[in-house]
Amino acid sequence: MPATTPLTARALLLDMDSTIVNSEAVVERCWRRWAAEQGLDADEVLKVVHGRQGWATMAALLPDRPMELNHEDNRRMLEQETADVEGVVPVSGAPAFMAALARLPHALVTSADRALSDARMGAAGLPMPDVRITAESVSASKPDPEGFLKGAAELGFAPADCVVFEDSEAGIAAGRAAGMRVVGVGERAGAFGPDVHVRDLRQVRVEALADGSIALHIEA
């Protein structure tokens, strides 16, 4: 990828899983277990689990299942995921990327709950942003834009002034629905039409501009 004209923003909104934290091993373990319990093909399940809250994925996979069972299974899965941090590491480039954002406006916008986001950010050794929107913060899961709109509002910026970092189809759709530009991170993301696509965060250089805005330089 050649160097591009930098994206400029007033604030950045960051998904967690597979965007700044590599938790793929845990996600696969937990969802394969759930798929086996439901008699579903685990490989097919894993194609659709990313980005949404667990109960929303379950509802998409089993549309006739009572929603209370999805919420019950989601609570159980969140407990399992929070206790299992084996193999949780930062996405390549994430430590330097987060360090560059330390004094700049940014927020975490994740489908995980607070306990799970604490566990995974801690396991990956990444600093928790002062502003975070978690599962408890919203009434609707991605691809609904609620989480990103709340993140922008808490930081005090208009949606058009924000850039989203996401890896999943649901997350990229949520960012677009919020009226934001999207940087897609990782192999999956390129198929879902982000404004910019990077393999990992080593390709992103953050520059704080004199007017308080942020320049994102996408490098080969």
Side-chain angles (χ1 to χ4, degrees), residues 41-67:
D41 183 311
D43 291 334
E44 292 303 311
V45 168
L46 287 168
K47 292 178 181 178
V48 298
V49 301
H50 301 284
R52 298 182 181 88
Q53 292 187 43
W55 60 264
T57 295
M58 294 168 189
L61 290 165
L62 297 171
D64 297 326
R65 190 181 196 228
M67 188 59 75

Side-chain angles (χ1 to χ4, degrees), residues 3 29 48 56 67 70 79 119 130-131 147 157 199 219:
R29 283 195 292 273
V48 298
M67 188 59 75
N70 296 331
E79 291 174 358
D130 292 337
V131 174
F157 294 99
R199 294 183 304 276
E219 302 173 344

Side-chain angles (χ1 to χ4, degrees), residues 31 34 48-78 81 110-113 134-144 146:
W31 280 99
W34 182 85
V48 298
V49 301
H50 301 284
R52 298 182 181 88
Q53 292 187 43
W55 60 264
T57 295
M58 294 168 189
L61 290 165
L62 297 171
D64 297 326
R65 190 181 196 228
M67 188 59 75
E68 59 267 24
L69 295 181
N70 296 331
H71 284 289
E72 180 181 330
D73 279 3
N74 185 54
R75 284 191 295 271
R76 179 166 56 93
M77 186 175 287
L78 283 170
E81 289 183 297
T110 176
S111 294
D113 64 7
T134 62
E136 297 94 335
S137 310
V138 297
S139 60
S141 173
K142 299 171 185 177
D144 191 282
E146 181 184 3

